[in-house]
Structure formats: C-alpha cells, structure tokens
Coordinates of all heavy atoms in Angstrom, one line a residue:
A69 N 19.2 -15.5 13.0 CA 19.1 -16.8 12.3 C 18.5 -16.6 10.9 O 18.8 -17.4 10.0 CB 18.2 -17.7 13.1
A70 N 17.8 -15.5 10.7 CA 17.2 -15.2 9.4 C 17.0 -13.7 9.3 O 17.0 -13.0 10.3 CB 15.9 -16.0 9.3
V71 N 16.8 -13.3 8.0 CA 16.5 -11.9 7.7 C 15.3 -11.8 6.8 O 15.2 -12.6 5.9 CB 17.7 -11.3 7.0 CG1 17.4 -9.8 6.7 CG2 19.0 -11.4 7.9
F72 N 14.4 -10.9 7.2 CA 13.2 -10.6 6.3 C 13.3 -9.1 6.0 O 13.2 -8.3 6.9 CB 11.9 -11.0 7.0 CG 10.8 -11.0 6.0 CD1 10.3 -12.1 5.4 CD2 10.2 -9.8 5.6 CE1 9.2 -12.1 4.5 CE2 9.1 -9.7 4.7 CZ 8.6 -10.9 4.2
E73 N 13.4 -8.8 4.7 CA 13.6 -7.4 4.4 C 12.3 -6.6 4.5 O 11.3 -7.0 3.9 CB 14.1 -7.3 2.9 CG 15.4 -8.0 2.6 CD 15.6 -8.4 1.2 OE1 15.7 -7.4 0.4 OE2 15.6 -9.6 0.9
V74 N 12.3 -5.5 5.2 CA 11.2 -4.6 5.3 C 10.9 -4.0 3.9 O 9.8 -3.7 3.6 CB 11.4 -3.5 6.3 CG1 10.3 -2.5 6.3 CG2 11.6 -4.1 7.7
A75 N 11.9 -3.9 3.1 CA 11.8 -3.4 1.7 C 10.8 -4.3 0.9 O 10.1 -3.9 0.0 CB 13.1 -3.3 1.0
L76 N 10.9 -5.6 1.2 CA 10.0 -6.6 0.5 C 8.5 -6.3 0.9 O 7.6 -6.3 0.1 CB 10.4 -8.0 0.8 CG 9.7 -9.1 -0.1 CD1 10.2 -9.0 -1.5 CD2 10.0 -10.5 0.5
A77 N 8.3 -6.1 2.2 CA 7.0 -5.7 2.7 C 6.5 -4.4 2.1 O 5.3 -4.1 1.9 CB 7.0 -5.7 4.2
A78 N 7.5 -3.4 1.9 CA 7.2 -2.1 1.3 C 6.6 -2.3 -0.1 O 5.7 -1.6 -0.5 CB 8.4 -1.2 1.3
E79 N 7.1 -3.2 -0.8 CA 6.5 -3.5 -2.1 C 5.1 -4.0 -2.0 O 4.2 -3.6 -2.8 CB 7.4 -4.6 -2.9 CG 8.7 -4.1 -3.3 CD 9.4 -5.1 -4.2 OE1 8.7 -5.9 -4.9 OE2 10.7 -5.0 -4.4
V80 N 4.9 -4.8 -1.0 CA 3.5 -5.3 -0.8 C 2.6 -4.2 -0.4 O 1.4 -4.0 -0.9 CB 3.5 -6.4 0.3 CG1 2.1 -6.8 0.6 CG2 4.4 -7.6 -0.1
V81 N 3.1 -3.3 0.5 CA 2.3 -2.1 0.9 C 2.0 -1.2 -0.3 O 0.8 -0.7 -0.4 CB 3.0 -1.4 2.0 CG1 2.3 0.0 2.3 CG2 3.0 -2.2 3.3
S82 N 2.9 -1.0 -1.1 CA 2.7 -0.2 -2.3 C 1.6 -0.7 -3.2 O 0.8 0.0 -3.7 CB 4.0 0.0 -3.1 OG 5.0 0.6 -2.4
W83 N 1.7 -2.0 -3.4 CA 0.6 -2.7 -4.2 C -0.7 -2.5 -3.5 O -1.7 -2.2 -4.2 CB 1.0 -4.2 -4.3 CG -0.1 -5.0 -5.1 CD1 -0.1 -5.1 -6.4 CD2 -1.2 -5.6 -4.6 NE1 -1.2 -5.9 -6.8 CE2 -1.9 -6.2 -5.6 CE3 -1.7 -5.8 -3.3 CZ2 -3.1 -6.9 -5.5 CZ3 -2.9 -6.5 -3.1 CH2 -3.6 -7.1 -4.2
A84 N -0.8 -2.8 -2.2 CA -2.1 -2.7 -1.5 C -2.6 -1.3 -1.5 O -3.8 -1.0 -1.7 CB -2.0 -3.2 0.0
T85 N -1.7 -0.3 -1.3 CA -2.2 1.1 -1.3 C -2.7 1.5 -2.7 O -3.7 2.2 -2.8 CB -1.0 2.0 -1.0 OG1 -0.5 1.7 0.3 CG2 -1.4 3.5 -0.9
G86 N -2.0 1.1 -3.8 CA -2.5 1.4 -5.1 C -3.9 0.8 -5.3 O -4.8 1.5 -5.9
R87 N -4.1 -0.4 -4.9 CA -5.5 -1.0 -5.0 C -6.5 -0.3 -4.2 O -7.7 -0.1 -4.6 CB -5.4 -2.5 -4.7 CG -4.6 -3.4 -5.6 CD -5.0 -3.3 -7.0 NE -4.1 -3.9 -7.9 CZ -3.0 -3.4 -8.5 NH1 -2.7 -2.2 -8.1 NH2 -2.3 -4.1 -9.3
F88 N -6.1 0.1 -3.0 CA -7.1 0.8 -2.2 C -7.4 2.2 -2.8 O -8.6 2.6 -2.8 CB -6.5 1.0 -0.8 CG -7.4 1.7 0.2 CD1 -8.4 1.0 0.8 CD2 -7.3 3.1 0.4 CE1 -9.3 1.7 1.7 CE2 -8.2 3.7 1.3 CZ -9.2 3.0 1.9
L89 N -6.4 2.9 -3.3 CA -6.7 4.2 -3.9 C -7.6 4.1 -5.1 O -8.4 5.0 -5.3 CB -5.3 4.8 -4.3 CG -4.6 5.7 -3.3 CD1 -3.2 6.1 -3.8 CD2 -5.4 6.9 -2.9
A90 N -7.5 3.0 -5.8 CA -8.3 2.9 -7.0 C -9.8 2.8 -6.7 O -10.7 3.2 -7.5 CB -7.9 1.6 -7.8
E91 N -10.1 2.4 -5.4 CA -11.5 2.2 -5.0 C -12.0 3.3 -4.0 O -13.1 3.3 -3.6 CB -11.8 0.8 -4.5 CG -11.4 -0.3 -5.5 CD -11.5 -1.7 -4.8 OE1 -11.9 -1.7 -3.6 OE2 -11.3 -2.7 -5.5
Y92 N -11.0 4.1 -3.5 CA -11.3 5.0 -2.4 C -12.1 6.2 -2.9 O -11.8 6.8 -4.0 CB -9.9 5.5 -1.9 CG -10.0 6.5 -0.8 CD1 -10.6 6.2 0.4 CD2 -9.5 7.8 -1.0 CE1 -10.6 7.2 1.4 CE2 -9.6 8.8 0.0 CZ -10.1 8.5 1.2 OH -10.2 9.4 2.2
T93 N -13.2 6.5 -2.2 CA -14.1 7.5 -2.6 C -14.2 8.6 -1.5 O -15.0 9.5 -1.6 CB -15.5 7.0 -2.8 OG1 -16.0 6.3 -1.7 CG2 -15.5 6.0 -4.0
G94 N -13.4 8.6 -0.5 CA -13.4 9.5 0.6 C -12.6 10.8 0.2 O -12.3 11.1 -0.9
L95 N -12.4 11.6 1.3 CA -11.7 12.9 1.1 C -10.3 12.6 0.6 O -9.6 11.7 1.1 CB -11.6 13.6 2.4 CG -13.0 14.2 2.9 CD1 -12.8 14.8 4.3 CD2 -13.5 15.3 2.0
R96 N -9.8 13.5 -0.3 CA -8.4 13.4 -0.8 C -7.7 14.6 -0.4 O -8.3 15.7 -0.2 CB -8.4 13.2 -2.3 CG -9.0 11.8 -2.7 CD -8.8 11.5 -4.1 NE -9.5 10.2 -4.4 CZ -8.9 9.1 -4.9 NH1 -7.6 9.2 -5.2 NH2 -9.5 8.0 -5.1
P97 N -6.4 14.5 -0.2 CA -5.5 13.3 -0.4 C -5.5 12.4 0.8 O -5.8 12.8 1.9 CB -4.1 13.9 -0.6 CG -4.1 15.1 0.2 CD -5.5 15.7 0.1
L98 N -5.3 11.1 0.5 CA -5.0 10.1 1.5 C -3.6 10.3 2.0 O -2.7 10.7 1.2 CB -5.1 8.7 0.9 CG -5.5 7.6 1.9 CD1 -6.9 7.8 2.5 CD2 -5.5 6.2 1.2
I99 N -3.3 10.1 3.3 CA -2.0 10.4 3.9 C -1.4 9.1 4.3 O -2.0 8.3 4.9 CB -2.2 11.3 5.1 CG1 -2.9 12.6 4.7 CG2 -0.8 11.7 5.7 CD1 -3.3 13.5 5.9

C-alpha cells in the first residue's frame, strides 16, 4: 500500500552519526 525508502532513513542515520561523532570522547574508531 505504501513504500518508505530505507535510503531516506540512511540519510537520517548519517546525520545522527555525524553529530554523535562530534561529541564522542571514547575509544576510536567507532564501528
């Protein structure tokens, strides 16, 4: 009946990961 692109959620995840990395102080690299 409808389609929701996982690619759209991937953009959201990329944004959230970038923000998290900017404040992350733990061991690197994050996986």
Side-chain angles (χ1 to χ4, degrees):
V71 179
F72 191 99
E73 301 158 65
V74 175
L76 192 67
E79 290 190 21
V80 177
V81 169
S82 297
W83 179 88
T85 301
R87 295 302 173 276
F88 182 82
L89 271 174
E91 301 175 2
Y92 178 65
T93 58
L95 291 172
R96 293 189 184 239
L98 207 64
I99 304 168

